[in-house]
């Protein structure tokens, strides 16, 4: 039982490049989400999914796309990287999609992204 | 505006000492409050959850308190250890415009010195 696995752990991109951050969970969790964490700020929700085939926008969705074709995987795509997207990205999952915070989130170990 | 404010921003204490971290929130109506511990380079891990009716909850050397009337929570760490060095994040769940909202605090960075 690996929990939530994120890859890569580190990535450097040039402005304008695109890439996909991978997130996989093996706990059969309904709810999956992506957060970004910036210095001096709390975690901010980018996108989330309440089940396979269902995604929705969070607080800061611009510049990011997601899809949820399976229960296990929830990749985050950066369409055209910008320096403002330099951040640490966390994928989190929860057992229930109706009240995810009641069950708590399981976080991945993060992807540190630098856009130059 | 729904907010979660944590204090202090950072704290340095000697190993073996106790400390208390604060979380004040304005999220209303309030559903629950959770404390997470985030080690450097890792994702946050849940320590404890407090619901409206709970005043105190312990998890080993961690004790969380909640005063729903004053909208304040604290996390008390007893007999600190070097492994307690981490960021501690307060997360409050409430409802805003009929939608559930999860608000993350900015965290308190705790450094334990030997």
């Amino acid at each position: 039982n690996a929990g939530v696995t994120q890859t890569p752990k580190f990535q450097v991109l040039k402005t304008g490049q695109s890439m996909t951050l991978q997130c996989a969970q093996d706990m059969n969790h309904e709810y999956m989400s992506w957060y970004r964490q910036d210095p001096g700020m709390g975690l901010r929700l980018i996108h989330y999914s309440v089940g396979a085939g269902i995604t929705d926008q969070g607080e800061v969705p611009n510049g990011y796309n997601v899809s949820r074709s399976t229960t296990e995987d929830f990749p985050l795509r950066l369409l055209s990287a910008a320096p403002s997207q330099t951040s640490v990205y966390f994928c989190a999952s929860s057992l229930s999609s109706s009240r995810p915070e009641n069950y708590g989130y399981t976080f991945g170990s993060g992807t540190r992204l630098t856009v130059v | 505006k729904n907010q979660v404010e944590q204090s202090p921003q950072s704290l340095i204490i000697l190993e073996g000492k106790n400390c208390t971290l604060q979380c004040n929130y304005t999220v209303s109506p309030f559903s629950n409050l959770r404390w997470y511990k985030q080690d450097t380079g890792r994702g946050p891990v849940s320590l404890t959850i407090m619901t409206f009716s709970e005043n105190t909850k312990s998890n080993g050397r961690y004790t969380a308190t909640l005063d729903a009337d004053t909208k304040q929570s604290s996390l008390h760490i007893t007999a600190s250890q070097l492994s307690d060095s981490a960021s501690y994040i307060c997360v409050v769940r409430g409802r805003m415009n009929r939608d559930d909202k999860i608000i993350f605090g900015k965290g308190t960075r705790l450094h334990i010195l030997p």
Side-chain angles (χ1 to χ4, degrees), chain A residues 69-89:
Chain A
S69 56
T70 66
T71 300
E72 294 79 20
D73 300 300
F74 191 46
L76 177 73
R77 295 184 194 82
L78 279 70
L79 309 172
S80 177
S84 61
Q85 293 179 305
T86 293
S87 186
V88 181
Y89 292 85

Side-chain angles (χ1 to χ4, degrees), chain A residues 37 40 99 101-102 104-105, chain B residues 32 34 36 38 93 106:
Chain A
Q37 187 175 41
R99 291 286 188 267
E101 183 46 30
N102 280 1
Y105 295 106
Chain B
N32 60 49
R34 194 181 285 268
Y36 284 84
Q38 184 177 18
R93 174 171 165 257
K106 298 177 182 179

Side-chain angles (χ1 to χ4, degrees), chain A residues 9 35 37 40-44 90 98-110, chain B residues 9 32-34 36 38 41-46 49 89 91 93 95 100 102 104-106:
Chain A
K9 289 191 180 299
Y35 288 87
Q37 187 175 41
M41 303 186 73
L43 286 153
R44 293 183 292 169
F90 287 99
S98 61
R99 291 286 188 267
E101 183 46 30
N102 280 1
Y103 292 90
Y105 295 106
T106 300
F107 284 86
S109 57
Chain B
Q9 197 170 28
N32 60 49
L33 182 150
R34 194 181 285 268
Y36 284 84
Q38 184 177 18
R42 309 289 294 177
V45 175
S46 178
I49 182 171
I89 302 172
V91 184
R93 174 171 165 257
R95 292 187 70 82
D100 273 349
I102 310 297
F104 285 80
K106 298 177 182 179

Side-chain angles (χ1 to χ4, degrees), chain A:
Chain A
N1 189 334
V4 177
T5 303
Q6 287 185 239
T7 56
K9 289 191 180 299
F10 301 94
Q11 183 70 50
V12 179
L13 289 178
K14 293 182 179 179
T15 297
Q17 285 185 315
S18 62
M19 79 158 294
T20 299
L21 308 186
Q22 301 291 343
C23 175
Q25 53 91 9
D26 61 359
M27 299 170 287
N28 202 31
H29 281 181
E30 285 185 345
Y31 181 90
M32 296 186 75
S33 56
W34 277 100
Y35 288 87
R36 59 179 290 173
Q37 187 175 41
D38 300 296
M41 303 186 73
L43 286 153
R44 293 183 292 169
L45 181 64
I46 304 171
H47 285 285
Y48 66 96
S49 167
V50 298
I54 307 170
T55 63
D56 208 343
Q57 296 181 347
E59 182 184 355
V60 288
N62 292 340
Y64 308 95
N65 272 357
V66 292
S67 60
R68 184 100 180 267
S69 56
T70 66
T71 300
E72 294 79 20
D73 300 300
F74 191 46
L76 177 73
R77 295 184 194 82
L78 279 70
L79 309 172
S80 177
S84 61
Q85 293 179 305
T86 293
S87 186
V88 181
Y89 292 85
F90 287 99
C91 178
S93 70
S94 181
L95 179 63
S96 169
S97 59
S98 61
R99 291 286 188 267
E101 183 46 30
N102 280 1
Y103 292 90
Y105 295 106
T106 300
F107 284 86
S109 57
T111 295
R112 183 174 294 274
L113 175 69
T114 302
V115 182
V116 297

